[in-house]
Structure formats: structure tokens, C-alpha cells
Amino acid sequence: MRLNLMVNDEPRTVDEVWEGQSLLFVLRDQLGLPGSKNACEQGECGSCTVYLDGTPVCSCLVAAGQAEGRNVRTVEGLADGDQLDAVQQAFIEAGAVQCGFCTPGLIVAAHELVHRVTAPTDPEIREALAGNLCRCTGYEKILDAVRLAATRVGEAEPASLA
């Protein structure tokens, strides 16, 4: 089938897509967007998290056919050209990136939180990141990064999904 969708604010068409193929596969292998990672293929780790019509989803669980005519935003789409998003920058500055495999999903989940909640509490941060697993850290630097990003986003704009 032919798949028509918006990816990172750009109309995209992908041919020869099987309806049951995952959105993750289409993004990585057919559209050349390797940011979302393929780890568990069961929606358990969160490394493949993307926005689908403004809602974070595990792209490994979304059939490509379900994305027809919809808007997808990947971790690559959070940056504005060469200018990193506040969450991406905070992850770098806080040292929250180790092997990097979980990072894209954590960044998308954190991005959604800090644009929805002006000053998230630690329990709110933990809840928002609960679907994302990291094997390298004790999560403290990740929490530091989200706190830093929330402060910066809160200073820059009112709470709304940007």
C-alpha cells in the first residue's frame, strides 16, 4: 500500500508498505529517520516513542496503516534545524545521555511533560517517564535533565504542546 502522512511537519509518501508493518520500521528503514530506536518491539521500553497527532506512542506498536493521513513527530523533529530543543539540550548538559539507546524515547516523553506541565514535580516526572527504560543509569541525571528543561521551557513559554 501507499502511505501518506506528515512527518516532522513535512508531507511524506511511502510506497510498498504492508499495513501491518510497524510505524517504527517505516520511520527508520523507509524514511531514513533512525532517531527512534528498535529495542523490545513490544512497547515495554519506550525507546521508539514518537508523537502521533500530538500524543506520545510507542511506534513499534502502531501499524503503519494506522498512520495514514496522520501527523508524526520524531525526536529529530523536535530540533529547529541545527538548534536543539530545550529538552535535547538539557539532556546533553545534565549528562543524561550514556549509551543513547533510550534517549530518544526519554526526550519525547520529557518534551511532552514539560510542555504540558509548567513546573512538574518529581513524582510527575517519574510518572511521565515510567514507560521508558534505561539500563545504563540510575535515572538521576535523566531527572536532572527534565528538571532543567522544565525550568527553561517554563521561562520561555506558557504550558502548551509546542
Side-chain angles (χ1 to χ4, degrees):
M1 77 171 214
R2 172 173 279 173
L3 179 64
N4 297 291
L5 66 165
M6 293 290 288
V7 179
N8 300 329
D9 298 324
E10 186 178 315
R12 302 295 297 264
T13 299
V14 185
D15 288 319
E16 299 181 26
V17 174
W18 172 60
E19 293 97 348
Q21 195 170 358
S22 74
L23 176 59
L24 175 62
F25 180 84
V26 170
L27 293 170
R28 288 181 57 80
D29 296 347
Q30 292 178 278
L31 292 176
L33 295 167
S36 303
K37 303 301 181 207
N38 185 6
C40 73
E41 295 185 8
Q42 297 176 15
E44 296 291 328
C45 71
S47 66
C48 66
T49 303
V50 298
Y51 283 108
L52 182 61
D53 291 336
T55 301
V57 298
C58 290
S59 61
C60 71
L61 297 180
V62 176
Q66 292 176 296
E68 174 65 32
R70 298 179 75 184
N71 187 18
V72 176
R73 190 170 185 195
T74 67
V75 69
E76 292 97 338
L78 298 180
D80 184 11
D82 290 337
Q83 182 66 39
L84 294 178
D85 175 79
V87 178
Q88 293 169 317
Q89 188 63 44
F91 265 67
I92 292 169
E93 290 176 23
V97 178
Q98 287 195 14
C99 83
F101 215 78
C102 66
T103 306
L106 282 163
I107 287 174
V108 172
H111 183 271
E112 190 278 333
L113 172 67
V114 302
H115 286 86
R116 179 174 45 84
V117 178
T118 303
T121 63
D122 279 2
E124 288 173 318
I125 295 171
R126 291 176 190 277
E127 177 67 25
L129 302 183
N132 299 81
L133 301 177
C134 176
R135 293 179 151 197
C136 299
T137 72
Y139 292 93
E140 202 54 47
K141 290 183 185 235
I142 293 167
L143 296 174
D144 290 343
V146 178
R147 290 182 202 111
L148 177 59
T151 300
R152 290 181 177 167
V153 169
E155 292 170 354
E157 62 185 55
S160 68
L161 190 54

